Amino acid sequence: MTDEELRYPTGRFKTPVSYTQHAINGWINDIKVLPGKLRNAVIGLTEKQLDTQYRTGGWTIRQVVHHVADSHMNSIIRFKWALTEENPTIKAYEEADWALLPDYRLPIESSLKLLEGIHQHMVALFENFTEEQWNRTFVHPQSGDTVPLKRNLAIYAWHGKHHLAHITETIKHF
């Protein structure tokens, strides 16, 4: 695989042209099933396998699992800010630096449990959103983009699949 394919095994995120109810329901389902898919992908991996990089210079499987939990934890906070404040500017974070913190060396079970809880909360919110709520926005401070919540849903549905593919593609080579 090329470096681009290793970095983006499902392709880069593409902003949807439209946001149909069918697409939104699909993305909600992606969020709903990700924790189970992630758990199934890593169950039974050895410590050595968990500490395998998905590409040279990339994160280990363990770091990817912890990152997905941290990223989606940040995501639900962004959704809630946008639901309760008018077009808030969210807080960005240095995810590469977070991946070097000591908790990223922990067993992955804590992050798998976090992800399960976060996604239960996300789905409970998403399944009850009105059209007006899907159109609420936040500002991302790094890009300056105003992000509608329906686009953020699409981003995080993609994000989960993206990192799951990092893991499943790596496991194929064990």
Side-chain angles (χ1 to χ4, degrees):
M1 294 176 81
T2 67
D3 188 61
E4 179 75 5
E5 290 167 330
L6 289 170
R7 284 180 186 261
Y8 299 99
T10 62
R12 290 182 182 262
F13 176 75
K14 293 179 182 70
T15 301
V17 178
S18 65
Y19 296 87
T20 65
Q21 190 60 52
H22 179 74
I24 289 171
N25 290 342
W27 296 322
I28 293 170
N29 189 63
D30 292 339
I31 296 293
K32 186 182 290 186
V33 301
L34 178 67
K37 285 185 173 187
L38 190 59
R39 181 177 290 282
N40 287 337
V42 298
I43 199 162
L45 294 181
T46 66
E47 292 298 307
K48 182 178 178 184
Q49 289 169 326
L50 288 169
D51 291 329
T52 302
Q53 293 176 318
Y54 71 87
R55 67 177 175 83
T56 302
W59 288 337
T60 65
I61 291 174
R62 180 186 314 275
Q63 287 173 308
V64 170
V65 172
H66 290 310
H67 162 74
V68 172
D70 279 347
S71 177
H72 291 214
M73 181 170 37
N74 274 282
S75 178
I76 195 169
I77 291 168
R78 293 167 179 180
F79 276 102
K80 287 186 173 194
W81 276 331
L83 288 170
T84 60
E85 298 176 24
E86 200 57 45
N87 196 37
T89 298
I90 60 153
K91 174 82 172 93
Y93 68 103
E94 298 298 330
E95 56 189 39
D97 291 341
W98 283 35
L100 300 175
L101 294 172
D103 63 324
Y104 272 54
R105 293 188 296 272
L106 284 170
I108 58 174
E109 183 61 26
S110 60
S111 284
L112 293 171
K113 286 178 179 176
L114 267 174
L115 197 65
E116 288 167 355
I118 291 164
H119 280 230
Q120 285 177 345
H121 282 256
M122 286 177 145
V123 170
L125 288 172
F126 301 158
E127 288 180 340
N128 289 286
F129 270 22
T130 64
E131 182 62 30
E132 185 273 331
Q133 288 171 314
W134 282 122
N135 289 320
R136 292 187 66 84
T137 59
F138 62 77
V139 175
H140 197 288
Q142 290 172 323
S143 65
D145 289 347
T146 297
V147 181
L149 292 186
K150 58 190 170 188
R151 183 165 98 202
N152 204 46
L153 171 65
I155 290 167
Y156 277 88
W158 169 86
H159 186 259
K161 289 179 180 179
H162 164 72
H163 285 302
L164 179 62
H166 283 144
I167 293 167
T168 56
E169 289 300 314
T170 303
I171 290 170
K172 287 178 184 177
H173 303 286
F174 290 157

